[in-house]
């Protein structure tokens, strides 16, 4: 019997209820006459402390709190893709429709206490059975498939923890998510299996084994793929002050990356950013398959003006959905914008619970919560048969106050991630986007993914990549000197480094996310561009060695220099021979200079 | 003891008064965030709201402050509803206090409806993405930080800088091209000085705009707690006008720094665990509950464009108020004391400024096809010029290369020719872009690496004159 108590205190998103003996920690409860959704976060005597996921305005002491007997869970099954949910998995369009039924003029607002199911109840899905009747099945075994969208085949799996004999399996046909599609007999009991299943959000879904991330997650963003690559199943953070382009970077990842499924969590951010994805993604095509992007995307929106407690939940809801598609054998990208707002939600709730604050008022368990979240990433061998691999890649934005990377959320996050894309206010001010600072950023996957590049793109990828890094680092040292004495007093060799670094910055690192050609660069084009610039540099360095000046070199290449800078947006991904040809012309110009100088 | 008439409950057991807070005991059936009327023994009435409620005890925040309130003889009435204001189209042309009560001596407002000032969050799935270019006539904004209808774009300023003049200029000149309809303006004065208020009032009168302006006024010497309500009252009216009366509304909120100070005051009185610089940990969410009340929604003609003004304490953009604001709003217009001291108006630091919604509002059919490229190039060239300027200050101009010296000149031209304009000068977007080309043409053509070849051929003065 679920517990039933009464409210004794209300303070913002936190309420305290008494007479709650038997309540479970993290149990989901219904609060007050409006049956608001809440979750128990502390139990003391017969009192339960509850964070409420909706506005508590108008609640009164004495109103009823009812337990549900289960922890906060999500519903899993076909129909997730293409949907936008709030922080506790309510479809936002359905909320609007429900409100519009009674109050058409309030349709655009989110009112409280709206109860709507996560998956469509009346939609029929075409189920194709794939398991053998009478055989032994266990958690993770695929019972059948449903074409969820034109991009994703949804595998209906035996829920983790269930094991037994498959005594009944539905024939091929159309079923709703509530219809039983299989029965498993175990210990004399029969368990009904439906397409819709539930899983508690705070518990990671199980898998067979964790594997090393060795394949890059190609993003089409040059500075990421070439200098600071992400791996499938990896973890990364994008910290940056406001206006440095966190959201544009994350949108680009969601739009262009080679993941099969994308879960985008807008956590405490702007409403219009979610709207932008909602309006754009159905029109845009997945660059890898040519299908509408929305067919591989799930959005979770708890915007900054939505209740703060649901912000805390939204992260767990998102990662659980990601794990579910991982278990089907897909590479999933989870993007969380922004983890700082989630941490602030933790802080606010902790403050209301009068917990002892640690750094900057954050609770002492901030670090362990961050660790738990990022640990849910990984490339895994999924449970059950047939054998399959899947991955969850997690990229979290961090919004450090004042752009200060030493603050608690950034510094703790750094301990648990392996790719760090540090966004730089100074680069952003000069509109150098993506404003990823190449001196502060790092990727621990560079060596792991090198093999993929060498096999699929070019054997010399690592060599060129390292040389580009070297030039950029050297340029930074030289800039120190330039700040004291100016450029004119540098020797020619160093001037060439400055020149090449500028070429790398303008012609390679800077990338316009809104230009149709520039926005997405294939690995092949990335390498060709890099090779063109560096081969040019190598040849120029030779000439300088033999006495040529940088001014002479600039003169000799003339407008070819501009062409090299503009190649990123003037030459398309499928016109690689043009880059090759441009490279040859530039080298030829240098050769004729060489001949002239003797 | 309490008594109840028609949902209104009255109590008189006040056990504690601290700062703006009253602790009232012996209460029953009090709701969180409920509105309260406090009647002093003198008969004076004040208003407040419930911040925390436990069984039998309510913590009440009094908007007009607790000065003069006694524990005996004061009666506290709980009104059984959250704070509401009347809304009506007739409120345009009128002046109200922060709680939405007329203070201009005019007739009582006949409400078309009463609305909770807290509003409700807009459903992101029901929003429609802002994309209509607003021409403000200010080159630094139109050309490089374009404003669109439904955007929230604050002005970050400092004391003594001309943010009021700029906001007024924008309010006067803002138009959506091809549409005759003017913006309705909802103006919230939050703890500002009397002369700032008079500046805006006179401005609206002079431009004959007063009949499409509603003003909600809480001045510096008026109760600080009302500042927490003033922007919400203003936005409640704005939402009504935009979503139910199909109007395009421009909301000016000034000064949000005073708002945040009031929030800090109440947080300190409640002895909450402070976040940065004593501001409460929920400052972000609280500010968001104001700023996010901007936008456009599906199937509605109207829109809310927000222009909050805030003065950065000590001109520090990393101070929590501008910092958190910048994380919520869709960009920012930053004023620079250095440019202001140079005598440049508007002293907009374009490098620190940003409009996140610019990309959707510009381009062919909206502004001009070269807009995005020209803007990128201006940014790249001006930032290089500024960088070289500080370098030249150390090593001298003569140790710079010839090209670098051209960039130095460009930076000056940019400030004097492009940025600088009169407070009544209203430039079309074509004029703005043509000035941009004129100054870009002083750089060698091969330096214009952000502009495509065909765009240069079409718009560069070198080719146009031929």
């Amino acid at each position: 019997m679920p517990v039933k108590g009464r409210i004794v205190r209300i303070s913002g998103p936190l309420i305290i209820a008494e007479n709650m003996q038997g309540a479970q920690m993290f149990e989901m409860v219904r609060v007050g006459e409006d049956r608001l959704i809440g979750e128990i976060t502390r139990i003391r005597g017969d009192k339960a402390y509850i964070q409420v996921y909706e506005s508590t305005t108008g609640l009164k002491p004495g109103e009823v709190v009812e337990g549900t007997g289960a922890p906060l869970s999500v519903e899993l099954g076909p129909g997730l893709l293409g949907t936008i949910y709030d922080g506790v998995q309510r479809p936002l369009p359905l909320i609007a429709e429900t409100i519009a039924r009674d109050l058409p003029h309030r349709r655009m607002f989110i009112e409280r206490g709206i109860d709507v199911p996560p998956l469509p109840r009346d939609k029929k899905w075409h189920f194709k059975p794939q398991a053998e009747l009478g055989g032994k099945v266990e958690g993770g075994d695929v019972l059948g498939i449903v074409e969820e969208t034109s991009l994703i085949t949804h595998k209906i799996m035996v829920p983790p923890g269930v094991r037994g004999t498959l005594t009944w399996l539905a024939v091929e046909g159309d079923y709703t998510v509530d219809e039983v599609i299989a029965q498993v007999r175990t210990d004399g009991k029969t368990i009904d299996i439906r397409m819709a299943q539930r899983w508690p959000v705070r518990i990671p879904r199980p898998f067979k084994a964790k594997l090393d991330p060795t394949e890059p997650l190609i993003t089409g963003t040059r500075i990421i793929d070439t200098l600071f690559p992400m791996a499938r199943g990896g973890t990364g953070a994008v910290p940056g002050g406001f206006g440095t382009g966190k959201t544009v970077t994350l949108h680009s990842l969601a739009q262009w990356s080679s993941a099969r499924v994308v879960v985008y969590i807008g956590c405490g951010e702007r409403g219009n950013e979610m709207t932008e994805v909602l309006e754009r993604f159905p029109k845009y095509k997945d660059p890898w398959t040519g299908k509408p992007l929305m067919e591989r995307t799930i959005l979770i929106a708890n915007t900054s003006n939505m209740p703060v407690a649901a912000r805390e939940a939204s992260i767990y809801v998102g990662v659980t959905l990601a794990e579910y598609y991982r278990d089907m054998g897909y590479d999933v990208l989870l993007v969380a914008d922004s983890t700082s707002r989630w941490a602030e939600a933790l802080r606010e709730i902790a403050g209301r619970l009068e917990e002892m604050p640690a750094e900057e008022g954050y609770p002492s368990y901030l670090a362990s919560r961050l660790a738990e979240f990022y640990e849910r990433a990984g490339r895994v061998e999924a449970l059950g048969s047939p054998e399959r691999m899947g991955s969850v890649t997690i990229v979290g934005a961090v919004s450090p106050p004042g752009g200060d990377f030493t603050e608690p959320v950034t510094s703790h996050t750094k301990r648990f991630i392996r790719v760090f894309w540090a966004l730089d206010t100074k680069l952003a001010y000069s509109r150098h986007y993506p404003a990823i600072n190449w001196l502060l950023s790092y990727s621990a996957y560079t060596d792991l993914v090198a093999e993929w590049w060498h096999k699929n793109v070019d054997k010399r990828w690592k060599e060129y990549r390292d040389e580009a890094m070297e030039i950029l680092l050297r340029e930074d040292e030289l800039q120190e000197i330039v700040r004291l004495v100016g450029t004119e007093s540098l020797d020619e060799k160093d001037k060439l480094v400055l020149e090449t670094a500028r070429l790398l910055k303008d012609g390679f690192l800077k990338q316009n996310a809104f230009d149709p050609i520039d926005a997405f660069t294939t690995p092949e084009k990335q390498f060709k561009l890099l090779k063109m610039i560096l081969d040019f540099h190598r040849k120029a360095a030779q000439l300088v060695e033999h006495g040529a000046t940088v001014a002479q070199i600039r003169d000799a290449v003339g407008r070819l220099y501009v062409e090299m800078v503009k190649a990123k947006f003037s030459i398309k991904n499928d016109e690689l021979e043009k880059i090759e040809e441009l490279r040859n012309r530039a080298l030829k110009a240098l050769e004729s200079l060489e001949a002239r100088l003797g | 003891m309490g008594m109840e008439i028609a949902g209104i409950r009255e109590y008189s057991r006040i056990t504690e008064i601290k700062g703006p807070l009253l602790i009232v005991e012996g209460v029953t059936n009090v709701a969180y965030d409920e509105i309260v009327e406090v009647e002093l023994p003198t008969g004076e009435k004040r208003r407040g709201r419930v911040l925390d409620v436990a069984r039998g005890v309510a913590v009440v925040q009094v908007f007009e402050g607790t000065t003069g309130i006694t524990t005996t003889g004061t009666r506290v009435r709980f009104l059984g509803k959250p704070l509401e204001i009347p809304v009506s189209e007739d409120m345009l042309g009128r002046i109200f206090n922060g709680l939405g009560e007329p203070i201009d001596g005019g007739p009582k407002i006949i409400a078309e409806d009463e609305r909770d000032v807290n509003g409700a969050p807009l459903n992101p799935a029901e929003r429609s993405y802002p994309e209509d270019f607003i021409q403000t006539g200010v080159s630094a904004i139109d050309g490089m930080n374009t404003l669109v209808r439904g955007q929230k774009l604050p002005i970050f300023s400092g004391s003594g800088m001309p943010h009021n003049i700029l906001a007024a200029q924008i309010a006067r000149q803002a138009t959506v091209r091809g549409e005759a309809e003017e913006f309705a303006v909802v103006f919230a004065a939050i703890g500002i000085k009397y002369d700032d208020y008079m500046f805006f009032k006179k401005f609206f009168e002079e431009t004959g705009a007063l009949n499409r302006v509603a003003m909600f006024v809480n001045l510096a010497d008026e109760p600080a707690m009302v500042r927490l309500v003033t922007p919400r009252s203003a936005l409640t009216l704005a939402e009504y006008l935009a979503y139910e009366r199909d109007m395009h509304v421009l909301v000016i909120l000034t000064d949000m720094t005073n708002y945040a100070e009031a929030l800090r005051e109440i947080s300190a009185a409640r002895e909450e665990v402070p976040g940065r610089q004593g501001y409460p940990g929920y400052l972000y969410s609280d500010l968001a509950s104001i700023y996010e009340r901007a936008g456009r929604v599906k199937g509605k003609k109207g829109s809310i464009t927000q222009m909050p003004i805030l003065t950065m304490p000590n001109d520090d953009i990393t101070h929590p108020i501008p910092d958190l604001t910048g994380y919520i709003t869709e960009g920012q217009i930053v004023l620079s004391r250095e440019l202001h001291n140079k005598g440049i108006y508007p002293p907009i630091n374009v490098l620190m400024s940003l409009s996140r919604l610019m990309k959707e509002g510009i381009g062919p059919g909206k502004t001009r096809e070269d807009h995005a490229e020209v803007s990128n190039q201006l940014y790249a060239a001006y930032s290089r010029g500024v960088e070289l300027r500080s370098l030249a200050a150390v090593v001298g101009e003569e140790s710079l290369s010839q090209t670098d010296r051209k960039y130095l000149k460009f930076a000056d031209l940019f400030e004097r020719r492009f940025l600088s304009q009169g407070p009544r000068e209203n430039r079309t977007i074509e004029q703005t872009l043509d000035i941009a080309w004129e100054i870009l043409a002083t750089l060698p053509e091969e330096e214009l690496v952000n502009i495509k070849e065909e765009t240069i051929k079409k718009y560069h003065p070198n080719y146009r004159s031929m």
Side-chain angles (χ1 to χ4, degrees):
Chain A
M1 247 277 289
V3 295
K4 197 166 178 178
R6 283 185 186 280
I7 300 177
V8 291
R9 185 176 168 194
I10 305 143
S11 172
L14 181 80
I15 66 155
I16 302 172
E18 63 173 14
N19 212 0
M20 296 287 286
Q21 296 97 330
Q24 307 162 20
M25 192 64 177
F26 292 120
E27 180 175 340
M28 193 174 120
V29 296
R30 295 294 190 154
V31 177
E33 283 157 20
D34 286 341
R35 298 181 57 77
L36 310 180
I37 299 174
E39 191 182 21
I40 295 176
T41 57
R42 187 203 275 183
I43 298 172
R44 193 188 216 167
D46 76 332
K47 287 199 175 75
Y49 292 63
I50 297 161
Q51 52 178 350
V52 182
Y53 293 136
E54 300 178 69
S55 163
T56 51
T57 295
L59 272 186
K60 292 174 183 170
E63 287 190 55
V64 174
V65 175
E66 259 178 273
T68 61
L72 181 66
S73 304
V74 285
E75 192 169 58
L76 304 168
L80 293 168
L81 291 169
T83 310
I84 178 167
Y85 291 109
D86 77 353
V88 286
Q89 214 203 0
R90 286 180 294 198
L92 285 167
L94 217 52
I95 292 184
E97 272 165 42
T98 310
I99 291 169
R101 239 174 274 146
D102 298 330
L103 304 163
H105 70 285
R106 301 289 293 172
R107 180 190 174 94
M108 61 289 243
F109 295 108
I110 300 175
E111 310 283 351
R112 300 179 307 155
I114 306 285
D115 207 0
V116 287
L119 296 176
R121 296 343 272 193
D122 43 6
K123 182 166 169 122
K124 295 224 178 209
W125 299 95
H126 191 74
F127 173 79
K128 278 190 199 154
Q130 282 195 338
E132 216 161 289
L133 214 55
K136 295 269 176 224
V137 292
E138 59 178 0
D141 283 355
V142 176
L143 293 169
I145 54 166
V146 161
E147 297 298 330
E148 185 176 358
T149 67
S150 66
L151 270 174
I152 297 294
T153 304
H154 195 111
K155 301 195 171 74
I156 309 296
M157 298 172 286
V158 176
V162 174
R163 180 194 289 269
T165 312
L166 185 64
T167 53
W168 183 78
L169 184 63
V171 293
E172 180 170 348
D174 298 337
Y175 303 91
T176 68
V177 292
D178 288 324
E179 286 176 81
V180 176
I181 49 105
Q183 284 179 327
V184 174
R185 196 157 176 81
T186 171
D187 298 335
K189 278 188 308 186
T190 299
I191 298 171
D192 288 341
I193 295 176
R194 298 172 171 83
M195 285 199 265
Q197 304 173 1
R198 295 192 74 81
W199 188 264
V201 296
R202 291 181 197 274
I203 298 173
R205 284 175 64 87
F207 48 82
K208 245 184 237 162
K210 227 172 205 183
L211 310 166
D212 240 357
T214 50
E215 274 189 33
L217 184 83
I218 297 298
T219 66
T221 302
R222 293 184 292 269
I223 186 168
I224 291 179
D225 292 344
T226 299
L227 293 188
F228 310 108
M230 176 49 84
R232 295 177 187 211
T235 50
V238 192
F242 63 84
T244 51
K246 282 185 299 298
T247 302
V248 176
T249 307
L250 295 185
H251 276 189
S252 292
L253 289 183
Q255 185 171 345
W256 300 114
S257 81
S258 59
R260 293 293 304 278
V261 173
V262 175
V263 179
Y264 194 106
I265 309 173
C267 176
E269 292 290 308
R270 303 175 185 88
N272 273 333
E273 284 167 2
M274 303 311 290
T275 310
E276 184 183 3
V277 177
L278 270 180
E279 287 191 4
R280 263 173 42 185
F281 276 31
K283 286 182 230 156
Y284 285 26
K285 292 200 162 51
D286 174 10
W288 306 89
T289 56
K291 298 282 170 54
L293 269 176
M294 208 56 205
E295 295 196 1
R296 66 168 203 183
T297 310
I298 303 172
L299 297 175
I300 296 171
N302 177 273
T303 55
S304 56
N305 54 343
M306 284 157 78
V308 77
R311 205 161 296 166
E312 205 263 334
S314 65
I315 291 273
Y316 295 102
V317 167
V319 74
T320 309
L321 299 184
E323 285 174 342
Y324 177 61
Y325 281 93
R326 172 202 71 189
D327 293 346
M328 294 178 208
Y330 292 114
D331 289 314
V332 185
L333 170 67
L334 174 105
V335 170
D337 185 12
S338 150
T339 58
S340 294
R341 306 300 163 218
W342 168 71
E344 284 166 9
L346 281 184
R347 174 168 73 182
E348 185 171 341
I349 302 291
R352 305 249 184 203
L353 287 167
E354 288 165 8
E355 289 175 3
M356 181 69 85
E359 307 143 274
E360 292 193 19
Y362 286 105
S364 53
Y365 46 78
L366 171 67
S368 57
R369 291 282 175 88
L370 280 168
E372 279 165 25
F373 168 60
Y374 282 109
E375 276 305 296
R376 289 177 78 166
R379 190 166 151 255
V380 305
E381 191 184 337
L383 282 187
S385 67
E387 211 171 271
R388 54 202 189 268
M389 320 279 190
S391 68
V392 173
T393 308
I394 297 185
V395 177
V398 184
S399 320
D404 171 15
F405 288 179
T406 64
E407 59 91 38
V409 183
T410 317
S411 56
H412 286 306
T413 300
K414 265 179 120 163
R415 293 162 50 203
F416 311 118
I417 48 99
R418 300 187 69 191
V419 180
F420 191 68
W421 294 315
L423 300 183
D424 191 61
T425 313
K426 254 183 143 170
L427 288 174
Y429 283 170
S430 58
R431 298 309 192 258
H432 176 116
Y433 288 126
I436 297 175
N437 180 310
W438 45 91
L439 301 170
L440 299 178
S441 303
Y442 57 80
S443 164
Y445 301 118
T446 313
D447 290 327
L448 285 171
V449 303
E451 202 177 316
W452 181 92
W453 280 88
H454 294 161
K455 221 165 81 192
N456 293 285
V457 180
D458 194 286
K459 287 195 297 293
R460 298 169 71 189
W461 176 77
K462 186 75 171 31
E463 175 198 323
Y464 276 93
R465 183 238 168 236
D466 289 352
E467 188 179 343
M469 247 348 252
E470 230 168 81
I471 290 172
L472 291 168
L473 295 177
R474 176 77 185 131
E475 188 239 12
D476 184 61
E477 292 170 16
L478 290 173
Q479 287 296 356
E480 296 282 320
I481 303 170
V482 169
R483 267 190 282 277
L484 295 174
V485 297
T487 37
E488 288 304 297
S489 44
L490 292 180
D491 67 30
E492 292 300 315
K493 213 172 120 216
D494 290 341
K495 275 191 203 162
L496 179 66
V497 170
L498 293 188
E499 202 63 30
T500 305
R502 196 164 163 222
L503 193 53
L504 275 172
K505 285 191 255 178
D506 288 341
F508 191 79
L509 300 183
K510 247 177 144 171
Q511 190 168 354
N512 185 344
F514 308 110
D515 181 277
I517 298 175
D518 200 19
F520 174 80
T521 312
T522 58
E524 290 75 18
K525 182 177 161 191
Q526 293 189 27
F527 182 73
K528 287 276 184 211
L529 285 174
L530 188 68
K531 187 162 182 292
M532 170 184 74
I533 294 169
L534 292 182
D535 284 350
F536 174 75
H537 173 76
R538 287 174 180 184
K539 182 72 196 167
Q542 264 178 27
L543 294 189
V544 167
E545 200 80 2
H546 291 101
T549 66
V550 170
Q552 284 171 324
I553 290 170
R554 271 302 292 262
D555 272 352
V557 290
R559 292 196 56 84
L560 282 172
Y561 182 87
V562 191
E563 277 188 59
M564 283 196 281
V565 173
K566 295 185 182 179
K568 60 180 183 180
F569 60 64
S570 60
I571 300 179
K572 297 194 180 102
N573 281 321
D574 55 6
E575 304 173 328
L576 296 182
E577 68 290 345
K578 287 195 184 166
I579 302 178
E580 194 65 36
E581 185 249 355
L582 179 57
R583 167 188 170 273
N584 293 339
R585 275 195 288 145
L587 290 183
K588 201 158 265 149
L590 291 184
E591 276 160 20
S592 54
L593 172 67
E594 191 176 27
R596 256 182 287 138
L597 294 173
Chain B
M1 268 296 93
M3 50 185 267
E4 175 159 356
I5 306 162
I8 300 173
R9 285 134 294 125
E10 187 180 296
Y11 301 94
S12 54
R13 222 171 102 201
I14 297 172
T15 54
E16 192 178 342
I17 306 173
K18 59 173 175 182
L21 302 182
L22 296 183
I23 316 289
V24 190
E25 289 193 12
V27 301
T28 52
N29 213 22
V30 165
Y32 177 70
D33 217 12
E34 183 175 346
I35 204 73
V36 170
E37 188 178 84
V38 180
E39 189 176 332
L40 275 61
T42 57
E44 183 193 341
K45 285 180 185 167
R46 297 185 191 174
R47 290 224 253 175
R49 64 175 177 153
V50 177
L51 288 185
D52 197 322
V53 53
R55 210 165 27 193
V57 187
V59 178
V60 174
Q61 167 204 345
V62 183
F63 293 133
E64 294 92 340
T66 48
T67 309
I69 296 184
T70 56
T71 52
T72 50
T74 300
R75 283 176 297 182
V76 183
R77 281 179 214 109
F78 293 83
L79 304 183
K81 57 179 186 185
L83 182 58
E84 288 175 341
I85 64 157
V87 290
S88 151
E89 224 175 301
D90 297 336
M91 291 171 79
L92 289 172
R94 302 290 305 273
I95 304 174
F96 308 89
N97 67 12
L99 301 173
E101 296 155 343
I103 52 169
D104 54 1
K108 210 174 160 257
I109 297 296
I110 299 170
E112 285 160 56
D113 200 0
E114 301 262 333
R115 292 285 158 85
D116 178 355
V117 295
N118 295 308
L122 268 182
N123 187 333
E126 287 295 308
R127 281 180 184 268
S128 94
Y129 199 68
E131 53 185 14
D132 302 325
F133 165 64
I134 297 178
Q135 181 172 292
T136 66
V138 178
S139 288
I141 296 177
D142 293 351
M144 301 174 77
N145 296 288
T146 314
L147 177 67
V148 298
R149 204 150 59 180
Q151 184 171 12
K152 39 190 181 290
L153 189 66
I155 298 176
F156 287 6
S157 184
S159 27
M161 283 203 276
H163 43 265
N164 288 342
I165 299 175
L166 179 62
Q169 183 174 13
I170 293 168
R172 177 176 54 229
Q173 296 178 176
T175 50
V176 170
R177 305 214 302 172
E179 289 183 20
E181 192 187 339
E182 288 184 283
F183 282 91
V185 178
V186 174
F187 178 86
I190 309 162
I192 61 171
K193 295 190 297 274
Y194 183 75
D195 48 354
D196 287 333
Y197 164 57
M198 281 316 284
F199 169 84
F200 278 104
K201 190 164 176 249
K202 260 200 206 123
F203 164 75
F204 290 133
E205 278 166 1
E206 275 167 19
T207 50
L210 211 51
N211 61 348
R212 52 182 184 95
V213 179
M215 300 179 93
F216 290 81
V217 181
N218 167 265
L219 295 181
D221 57 353
E222 292 181 301
M225 289 308 111
V226 178
R227 279 164 215 168
L228 300 178
V229 182
T230 310
R232 294 189 164 88
S233 301
L235 286 162
T236 303
L237 175 63
E239 280 172 354
Y240 173 78
L241 296 175
Y243 305 140
E244 284 169 57
R245 287 290 173 266
D246 289 337
M247 292 184 184
H248 293 294
V249 187
L250 175 67
V251 179
I252 299 175
L253 308 170
T254 179
D255 175 334
M256 287 304 287
T257 301
N258 297 334
Y259 172 86
E261 306 270 304
L263 196 69
R264 177 164 70 174
E265 192 180 328
I266 194 79
S267 170
R270 297 179 70 188
E271 293 167 18
E272 291 172 330
V273 179
R276 273 207 312 155
Q277 300 197 19
Y279 291 95
Y282 51 79
L283 178 61
Y284 176 85
S285 303
D286 192 278
L287 287 174
S289 72
I290 292 173
Y291 297 141
E292 277 288 315
R293 292 171 81 173
R296 291 168 60 207
V297 299
K298 281 186 195 161
K300 296 282 171 186
K301 194 173 149 271
S303 65
I304 297 178
T305 308
Q306 245 191 55
M307 184 164 287
I309 299 172
L310 60 88
T311 47
M312 299 181 280
N314 300 314
D315 295 351
D316 176 12
I317 197 167
T318 68
H319 182 282
I321 300 170
D323 189 52
L324 295 179
T325 297
Y327 274 120
I328 303 163
T329 52
E330 282 141 353
Q332 66 279 336
I333 301 293
V334 182
L335 301 191
S336 143
R337 196 162 300 274
E338 196 192 324
L339 289 172
H340 180 55
N341 290 344
K342 273 191 190 174
I344 288 169
Y345 174 87
I348 296 176
N349 181 333
V350 291
L351 300 182
M352 294 174 91
S353 303
L354 172 71
S355 164
R356 292 168 189 273
L357 302 184
M358 174 171 180
K359 61 182 192 298
E360 302 296 330
I362 64 172
K366 291 181 172 167
T367 55
R368 213 166 73 181
E369 56 179 338
D370 57 329
H371 193 158
E373 292 167 54
V374 168
S375 167
N376 284 342
Q377 189 63 62
L378 285 175
Y379 269 111
Y382 180 57
S383 71
R384 180 126 187 248
V386 170
E387 209 176 285
L388 288 165
R389 203 185 262 167
S390 59
L391 184 60
V394 181
V395 300
E397 215 173 294
E398 58 285 355
S399 357
L400 297 180
S401 71
Q402 192 142 23
T403 319
D404 286 351
R405 268 176 265 167
K406 287 199 171 131
Y407 273 102
L408 275 186
K409 273 221 188 76
F410 174 84
D412 285 334
L413 264 177
F414 176 84
E415 290 168 5
R416 302 274 165 207
R417 181 84 186 89
F418 182 83
L419 205 54
S420 183
Q421 68 183 89
R424 290 188 171 268
E425 186 181 346
N426 191 355
R427 294 181 186 161
T428 66
I429 183 65
E430 285 79 12
Q431 286 168 329
T432 291
L433 290 173
D434 288 347
I435 297 171
W437 275 109
E438 183 193 313
I439 58 170
L440 284 173
T442 64
L443 292 172
E445 204 183 306
E446 62 267 19
E447 291 294 319
L448 307 182
V449 295
N450 292 289
I451 307 182
K452 289 185 176 160
E453 211 52 51
E454 56 267 31
T455 315
I456 292 185
K457 290 266 145 53
K458 192 161 167 194
Y459 291 100
H460 195 293
N462 286 357
Y463 301 92
R464 269 179 136 185
S465 48
M466 287 191 319

